[in-house]
Amino acid sequence: MFRLSRILAPSTTVHAHCDLPCGVYDPEQARIEAESCYKIIEKMGANSDPTFTTRAIHIKEERADLAKHALDVLWHDYFKPEHLEKVPNLHELFWNATKQVSKVKASTNLEDARQLLAMIDEIDAAWKATGGEEKTRVNGRPS
Amino acid sequence: MSPAIQPGDWLLVDPTVTRWPRRGSVVVFREPDSELLAIKRVAAGPGDRVDLDAGHLILGDDEAWLLSDAPLAELVEQGAGTPIDSRRYGPVPVDLLVGRAWFRYWPAGRLGLIRRR
């Protein structure tokens, strides 16, 4: 019987994936990358070694891109039209935050990075206000 | 592709098709971006018009618009993003067509033809 099933079983698998969201969305991802940028700028201010500066700039660009990507995913995939009722300035929040990421990429000013963290905190508040934590984290956000 | 196709279904696929089957048929094809072997339904065929949020497009004479069966509202409720079908990767050219899924032979309780919708 088992042999028969092995003969009859298909040899190829097809994927019907209608979508592949893991469904986990947390502004924390963006915040960690933004904090990385903050720390890099801070360290750059204390170290003028050219090799260090070159490496720091390179890594800041990378982390900033990741912050931007995390923000994009939140905006496109987590937030829904009905959330605009709770957060009417949602699109503006994201527009400003992603523009701030670009600023932080080019900047050696700690204040720019601090601003970015503040903007991400606002997005975090919007995520919490729309039930993000309960709906998308496996056991809530780890404390 | 639920409920028409469930995970674990064993299907017979007609590989002799050289043109896009009629609207409503379930087809197996290679996804344009990932080359994954996928299964969707033909929502529109060559020459048909597809209405989009911001306008429309007319399919070329070797293109099809392939959609998943899951209703958009259900996907949105589940927290899904853009469905992985033509809404994400656009029209699919016929050279990516592998075959038409026409019969389910396992599980026995759901044995039967895969109907056009």
Side-chain angles (χ1 to χ4, degrees):
Chain A
M1 197 48 208
F2 179 64
R3 275 260 282 253
L4 188 66
S5 124
R6 281 215 306 191
I7 292 165
L8 293 178
S11 55
T12 308
T13 303
V14 295
H15 299 261
H17 62 190
C18 300
D19 196 3
L20 278 179
C22 57
V24 176
Y25 303 105
D26 193 331
E28 195 68 16
Q29 264 179 319
R31 195 176 211 281
I32 287 174
E33 302 302 348
E35 284 188 24
S36 186
C37 295
Y38 179 97
K39 286 291 181 122
I40 289 170
I41 292 176
E42 196 177 58
K43 287 178 197 289
M44 280 170 78
N47 186 339
S48 55
D49 172 61
T51 306
F52 178 83
T53 305
T54 306
R55 293 189 63 226
I57 290 171
H58 178 78
I59 294 170
K60 180 156 66 78
E61 293 278 329
E62 279 181 357
R63 302 335 283 188
D65 273 333
L66 287 169
K68 218 181 228 187
H69 174 72
L71 289 173
D72 271 340
V73 168
L74 271 173
W75 186 52
H76 287 111
D77 293 343
Y78 166 69
F79 281 102
K80 310 268 176 285
E82 54 266 28
H83 293 155
L84 284 169
E85 288 169 47
K86 279 228 168 80
V87 192
N89 62 336
L90 182 73
H91 299 317
E92 212 182 294
L93 283 181
F94 276 98
W95 196 41
N96 290 335
T98 45
K99 279 188 177 298
Q100 191 67 17
V101 174
S102 297
K103 208 171 188 189
V104 166
K105 270 189 170 197
S107 171
T108 51
N109 186 341
L110 207 52
E111 188 49 40
D112 290 332
R114 205 191 311 268
Q115 259 275 68
L116 176 59
L117 290 177
M119 289 177 175
I120 293 175
D121 284 344
E122 282 191 72
I123 288 172
D124 195 78
W127 174 74
K128 288 194 172 125
T130 49
E133 191 166 356
E134 303 84 56
K135 289 191 205 142
T136 79
R137 292 305 307 266
V138 173
N139 286 315
R141 183 183 274 171
S143 46
Chain B
M1 284 301 293
S2 174
I5 312 286
Q6 304 283 14
D9 282 359
W10 291 357
L11 311 175
L12 291 183
V13 176
D14 173 10
T16 66
V17 289
T18 53
R19 296 188 306 175
W20 285 112
R22 289 183 291 174
R23 247 176 280 152
S25 306
V26 174
V27 292
V28 172
F29 61 102
R30 295 253 169 228
E31 270 186 4
D33 299 330
S34 69
E35 305 207 347
L36 200 70
L37 206 54
I39 183 164
K40 297 285 172 208
R41 204 177 288 272
V42 179
D48 286 346
R49 173 191 165 121
V50 176
D51 283 316
L52 309 168
D53 283 340
H56 70 273
L57 62 90
I58 311 281
L59 293 171
D61 55 15
D62 71 340
E63 290 179 327
W65 194 259
L66 307 178
L67 294 183
S68 104
D69 276 356
L72 195 57
E74 198 181 284
L75 291 175
V76 166
E77 211 198 85
Q78 288 169 11
T82 316
I84 302 183
D85 54 26
S86 280
R87 283 169 288 200
R88 184 174 292 197
Y89 44 68
V92 182
V94 74
D95 51 299
L96 296 180
L97 172 64
V98 168
R100 184 173 74 89
W102 63 279
F103 192 79
R104 183 188 311 99
Y105 66 100
W106 192 262
R110 295 177 56 242
L111 183 115
L113 292 169
I114 296 171
R115 304 215 169 266
R116 284 175 54 224
R117 224 180 53 163

